[in-house]
Amino acid sequence: MDIMPLELVQKFAEAYGPTTAAVHTFFSPGRVNLIGEHIDYNGGYVFPAALTLGIHAAVRVRTDKVIRVRSVNAEGEVSFAIDKDLKYNAADGWANYPKGVIAALAAAGHKLVGADVLYWGNLPDGAGLSSSAAIEVLTGYWALTLSKTQTVDRVALAQLCQKVENQFVGVNCGIMDQFAVAVGKRDHAILLDCATLKYELVPSAMPGYNLIILNTNKRRELADSKYNERRAECDKALELLKKAYPTTPMANLCAATMAQIEATITDPILSKRAKHVVTENQRVVKAVEVLKAGDLIGFGQLLNASHQSLCDDYEVTGDHLNAIVAAAQAQPGCLGARMTGAGFGGCGLAVVSVAETDAFIANVGRAYTAKTGLIAGFYISQVGDGARAQS
Ligand code: GLA
């Protein structure tokens, strides 16, 4: 469902009462990661793209230092003062994301205005398409834009929002999601080197093919604790490698070779985690190379290999993602499919010929329901721009 700025302003009036003051509208997309999963916090390459689905905000500036937030997608209102010591509060639910961003911007010395804000998203709920990064970057974007004292530095905003997620919300995520939704560009995926934040925009069009997002509708349960656990395992593997190779210090796990991992890491779990990281990083480089060369068959094969590695070595797929990806891979016209995002539920993606798309959706939907009892969702993904003002 598309959300138009005018409808958003109408919803704003329903939420806060009719107003003659200016109501500004903003948008931030969600993201899909084409390949390079669980790589960002290991200092390697990822290849995400911003979507045209995302979260909108309607914002009216206030004369005091209070921020009130509401959402069309949830009940209730949360309000807080910019100049108070703002803390995470479980009872505030989703509103902790905007609150955390405002707290971080204020702590960084930005002079912010008070505001009444209505959020409205059309990203499927709990699907791992980065609604949290979208609302964080959206909040930072409207807050900086309306405070008028500064232009928005998109990379700095992504870094600030990652810090909010790590320190305010408590999820130890990498930079990929916030970076993709802040920096995204229409019809381009972002090849991002997470060690340096250098990036290249690569055309994402696949002539004759659709990139289809496969929503398992299985919520990402336990995702945060399992996510932090994987991250800790990678840190442990890196520590062992650093000890074993003190004269060639490794800045991150992606810098290790398979030979070094095999020679050093005896714990079978840590060894599998490290193997995924090193091979996935290589797949990203190869995937960008083949995509640029127009070799979509090669690209699809790398997606399949990525899923296998995330299933066997990184163990973050689970029954629902495995079922939907297997059903997708079995269809004619599907060049490749994999899970995308953190895993443990959420979404997959597939590259499917335009001519076979309708049959693909019908067949995968049927096979997935037969296997899991759940109804899958399908979105033909369009790659859009990063966070922006609309009016
Ligand atoms: C989540 C995190 C990202 C990244 C992915 C896995 O989306 O927020 O930083 O680690 O999982 O690739």
Side-chain angles (χ1 to χ4, degrees), residues 69-193:
V69 295
R70 287 171 169 262
S71 167
V72 176
N73 307 84
E75 294 286 309
E77 175 181 300
V78 173
S79 73
F80 47 88
I82 300 168
D83 43 8
K84 291 273 148 52
D85 184 21
L86 299 176
K87 293 264 178 324
Y88 182 91
N89 175 1
D92 290 342
W94 67 271
N96 281 299
Y97 293 105
K99 191 163 65 161
V101 172
I102 295 296
L105 286 171
H110 294 290
K111 299 273 166 277
L112 303 175
V113 292
D116 293 326
V117 192
L118 181 72
Y119 292 96
W120 189 7
N122 58 6
L123 281 171
D125 197 25
L129 299 176
S130 279
S131 54
S132 59
I135 198 168
E136 288 157 5
V137 171
L138 178 61
T139 301
Y141 199 89
W142 70 248
L144 291 173
T145 305
L146 295 178
S147 299
K148 292 207 175 87
T149 46
Q150 51 266 308
T151 49
V152 180
D153 174 337
R154 289 171 181 271
V155 173
L157 177 58
Q159 288 174 304
L160 179 130
C161 291
Q162 181 201 7
K163 209 166 116 195
V164 168
E165 188 97 30
N166 294 167
Q167 296 175 4
F168 195 88
V169 180
V171 178
N172 223 352
C173 69
I175 188 73
M176 173 172 76
D177 301 347
Q178 290 78 9
F179 199 96
V181 308
V183 177
K185 182 149 165 48
R186 189 174 164 183
D187 296 332
H188 288 76
I190 307 166
L191 174 62
L192 172 65
D193 178 345

Side-chain angles (χ1 to χ4, degrees), residues 7 11 15 60 75 84-85 108 114 140 142 179 185 219 240 259 263 283 308 312 337 349 377 381 386:
E7 282 175 274
K11 290 273 186 205
R60 177 178 60 189
E75 294 286 309
K84 291 273 148 52
D85 184 21
W142 70 248
F179 199 96
K185 182 149 165 48
R219 286 188 69 89
L240 294 171
R283 280 187 287 272
Q308 206 60 50
D312 298 341
L349 62 85
S381 100

Side-chain angles (χ1 to χ4, degrees), residues 8 12 22-26 57-61 114-118 142 146:
L8 181 64
F12 182 92
V23 176
H24 306 272
T25 58
F26 296 86
V59 189
R60 177 178 60 189
V61 172
D116 293 326
V117 192
L118 181 72
W142 70 248
L146 295 178

